[in-house]
Amino acid sequence: MTGVIVRKGAIAVGAVVAVALVGGCKAQAVDSDGKAQPVRISPTKTDAGGPGDADAPERQERTPASKPASKPTSKPKPTPPPKILLAPGQRGDQVREMQARLRQIAWFFDNPSGTYGPATTSAVKGFQVKRGLPGTGTADTVTWRKLVDMTREPTKYELYSGGGIPASKPDKRCMTGRVLCISKESRTLTWMIDGRTVSTMDVRFGSQYTPTRDGTFTVYWKSRHHVSTLYDSSMPYAMFFSGGQAVHYSSDFAATGYNGASHGCVNVRDEKKIASLFAQVKKGDKVVVYK
């Protein structure tokens, strides 16, 4: 009987240990003297469940997915300053064109000269400030584009309103002998001897009501201190070639330029040049007036 009891006790103790393993809590074992000894049993490890969560499915440990590296934000490139096209001190045809365009819109009042001087600098600066641009007085790409948008392409006479137009190709009638070769297109008088240019000067002509005659003529009379009996006006260094029409110096042309006109004569603005010409020209020399 005693052996049976011991077996039952052993069974009971085994049962207790089994319950403890399943329950995941502390259990006590009995030693040979019948004293209970504390026994620690680790709970079953699970992935996501709590201690003893034996029914939870096995899960693999996961790590947060790595985010793609963001591209560094590039700073916007600074806008480059406008390119300088023309600056004070420069000379040339583009300076002359700019002056003529500024004159069209009443920012430049001198005759275009092709020289970027103080008057041009002041005109450019005023134009820039009026349009909200930096008033540098220097013509950059922005200033030039604005000026071109507001104006039209200058004519040859606007570009050379103060004179100095390059002489036109001489008429074939000017290529032999001693000739006063006068071009209405370039508004120039070229003194030529046997096809060689001796001197060139600016001239102006009569109005539409008193036009200067075209054609081939000869100098038939020279009058150093001539005064017109018809208009009572001075005609120094007059060299008559067709009726009352003559080549002569005009103080009005020297003062007002191409804003005026003659009564049919060929006016010369440079007194020194026509004085020299008057001394060289002889009666009978040829005069050719052409368009």
Side-chain angles (χ1 to χ4, degrees):
M1 292 298 292
T2 301
V4 174
I5 293 174
V6 172
R7 284 196 301 270
K8 289 183 179 179
I11 294 173
V13 171
V16 171
V17 173
V19 172
L21 288 173
V22 176
C25 59
K26 294 180 180 179
Q28 290 182 340
V30 180
D31 59 12
S32 58
D33 295 330
K35 295 181 179 179
Q37 298 294 327
V39 177
R40 297 183 179 272
I41 301 174
S42 299
T44 303
K45 291 184 179 180
T46 60
D47 182 50
D53 188 6
D55 295 330
E58 184 179 357
R59 299 181 179 90
Q60 295 181 351
E61 186 176 356
R62 297 180 181 178
T63 57
S66 58
K67 296 182 179 180
S70 58
K71 295 182 180 180
T73 304
S74 59
K75 295 182 180 179
K77 294 181 179 180
T79 303
K83 180 181 178 181
I84 301 299
L85 297 179
L86 300 169
Q90 287 186 245
R91 298 172 181 268
D93 291 340
Q94 192 170 6
V95 175
R96 185 183 294 274
E97 180 182 348
M98 181 178 69
Q99 292 169 331
R101 287 180 180 274
L102 287 168
R103 184 166 175 158
Q104 288 178 11
I105 54 177
W107 276 106
F108 187 75
F109 301 97
D110 297 342
N111 292 317
S113 63
T115 299
Y116 204 131
T120 305
T121 303
S122 178
V124 171
K125 183 176 181 179
F127 174 81
Q128 290 170 326
V129 172
K130 180 70 174 180
R131 273 82 197 169
L133 304 174
T136 62
T138 299
D140 54 32
T141 51
V142 176
T143 302
W144 180 258
R145 191 178 306 112
K146 190 72 174 178
L147 179 61
V148 169
D149 288 343
M150 295 181 63
T151 55
R152 54 176 170 75
E153 184 176 356
T155 65
K156 178 172 58 178
Y157 298 135
E158 287 177 321
L159 291 171
Y160 293 92
S161 58
I165 298 177
S168 298
K169 182 179 179 180
D171 186 278
K172 63 182 181 180
R173 293 169 289 177
C174 300
M175 301 310 294
T176 58
R178 298 162 58 89
V179 188
L180 294 174
C181 192
I182 303 170
S183 168
K184 287 185 173 180
E185 180 184 12
S186 61
R187 298 190 295 195
T188 56
L189 182 157
T190 303
W191 170 229
M192 302 184 69
I193 299 177
D194 295 331
R196 177 178 59 89
T197 297
V198 178
S199 61
T200 301
M201 56 204 75
D202 298 331
V203 295
R204 74 177 182 182
F205 305 95
S207 67
Q208 61 177 327
Y209 303 107
T210 56
T212 303
R213 302 180 188 102
D214 297 338
T216 302
F217 313 92
T218 58
V219 175
Y220 70 89
W221 180 32
K222 292 175 63 180
S223 178
R224 166 67 180 81
H225 300 286
H226 192 78
V227 176
S228 171
T229 56
L230 183 61
Y231 299 105
D232 192 27
S233 58
S234 178
M235 298 170 58
Y237 306 103
M239 293 172 279
F240 289 88
F241 61 88
S242 177
Q245 294 188 355
V247 174
H248 68 85
Y249 170 70
S250 170
S251 58
D252 179 70
F253 183 25
T256 64
Y258 292 100
N259 294 321
S262 74
H263 292 97
C265 289
V266 178
N267 291 163
V268 178
R269 73 191 312 170
D270 191 318
E271 188 173 6
K272 289 184 178 180
K273 285 188 175 183
I274 195 171
S276 176
L277 180 65
F278 186 85
Q280 298 176 61
V281 172
K282 302 174 181 180
K283 288 178 60 177
D285 285 344
K286 187 163 52 177
V287 178
V288 176
V289 182
Y290 65 102
K291 295 181 181 178

